[in-house]
Amino acid sequence: MTALGASFRGQVTLDGPSGTGKSSVARAVALELGAAYLDTGAMYRAATVAVLDAGVDLDDDEGIARVVREATIGIGTDAATEQVTVDDVDVTDRIRGSEVTRAVSPVSAVPAVRRMLVDAQRALVADADAVVVEGRDIGTVVLPDATLKVYLTAAPEARAERRADQLGVTDPARIAAIAEDLRRRDAHDSTRADSPLRPAADSVTVDSTHWERHQTIARIVELARERAEQ
Ligand code: DC
């Protein structure tokens, strides 16, 4: 057993599909471990803002890559605050909007974009003694030697209900539509050619279908502390 509050050193990766509450879990785990935190989805979303503002067609891989290469994406690694900028303009709220959410899948599927952002992600965490990094390909591609790799999942229906709760939706037909949208996004992220969403061979799968958020956080913190002691 580790004493409560003992300091953690190492890298925790948290991958998995949309709608598991992964970001809020990852941030809370980082705060409990006293670790830095990197939300890589926010970087793909920021890149998407640059692409949308440049008016580049979402089928134009080369145009997308050029815009992302020229954009300066800024992202904090403090778990207590969220700040994302593109060319020094704050886009923290805008990246969560539906315009960006709709366009981010094609942007994140462009291999040249992935290479640039993976390099940036590695550089951002290189000096951190302790860090939690969240995304889709962190354990498989970005940080293959991480201390602990977690694949966080939940049944689509449970994910849809959580999303509906956040949005204040109670109509069963709309909840079913949200579940369908999650399935479609899972299929898109899991079948793309470059860095598809899949668990790393040495990851621990945490299924949060029947768990409260605090139980999921506690389990991952416990796994991280156990792993860091080995
Ligand atoms: O986690 P999120 O919903 O903010 O991610 C936004 C999009 O970026 C989503 O379509 C998956 C993609 N993404 C990715 O391809 N690789 C990552 N490491 C993180 C996110």
Side-chain angles (χ1 to χ4, degrees):
M1 283 281 283
T2 311
L4 208 63
S7 68
F8 167 83
R9 289 171 75 92
Q11 296 174 329
V12 176
T13 65
L14 201 54
D15 291 303
S18 314
T20 56
K22 190 160 36 99
S23 292
S24 87
V25 165
R27 207 176 268 282
V29 167
L31 285 171
E32 275 208 38
L33 292 175
Y37 164 68
L38 182 62
D39 175 357
T40 62
M43 297 174 76
Y44 288 96
R45 288 172 180 270
T48 303
V49 166
V51 170
L52 289 170
D53 286 355
V56 172
D57 198 295
L58 292 174
D59 293 331
D60 176 4
D61 283 16
E62 271 179 37
I64 289 175
R66 179 174 37 76
V67 169
V68 176
R69 192 171 302 117
E70 284 166 10
T72 304
I73 294 171
I75 183 154
T77 55
D78 178 353
T81 55
E82 181 180 16
Q83 203 198 17
V84 184
T85 57
V86 176
D87 296 332
D88 293 327
V89 176
D90 191 317
V91 294
T92 313
D93 292 331
R94 196 177 153 201
I95 59 169
R96 305 294 164 197
S98 57
E99 186 200 18
V100 171
T101 299
R102 270 196 303 272
V104 66
S105 271
V107 172
S108 67
V110 176
V113 169
R114 301 203 69 83
R115 279 196 298 277
M116 284 183 260
L117 294 194
V118 167
D119 284 349
Q121 289 154 17
R122 289 182 180 141
L124 278 163
V125 304
D127 295 331
D129 285 339
V131 68
V132 177
V133 186
E134 178 226 324
R136 303 291 189 288
D137 61 341
I138 312 305
T140 51
V141 175
V142 181
L143 300 173
D145 301 321
T147 319
L148 170 69
K149 300 178 184 180
V150 173
Y151 190 79
L152 182 62
T153 187
E157 292 69 22
R159 293 191 270 135
E161 271 171 29
R162 283 175 204 167
R163 187 57 50 98
D165 263 0
Q166 279 169 1
L167 300 171
V169 170
T170 51
D171 172 15
R174 283 188 64 197
I175 297 176
I178 293 173
E180 192 45 45
D181 180 54
L182 286 171
R183 277 201 196 86
R184 195 171 41 76
R185 278 167 58 192
D186 289 354
H188 191 281
D189 288 343
S190 318
T191 56
R192 69 172 173 227
D194 190 335
S195 316
L197 170 68
R198 62 179 173 80
D202 52 351
S203 65
V204 180
T205 293
V206 172
D207 184 336
S208 69
T209 305
H210 302 293
W211 282 2
E212 299 283 340
R213 182 175 165 276
H214 70 90
Q215 293 175 297
T216 309
I217 295 164
R219 177 68 186 134
I220 297 171
V221 167
E222 178 185 51
L223 285 167
R225 294 218 159 107
E226 279 171 14
R227 204 52 78 83
E229 279 186 343
Q230 285 168 9

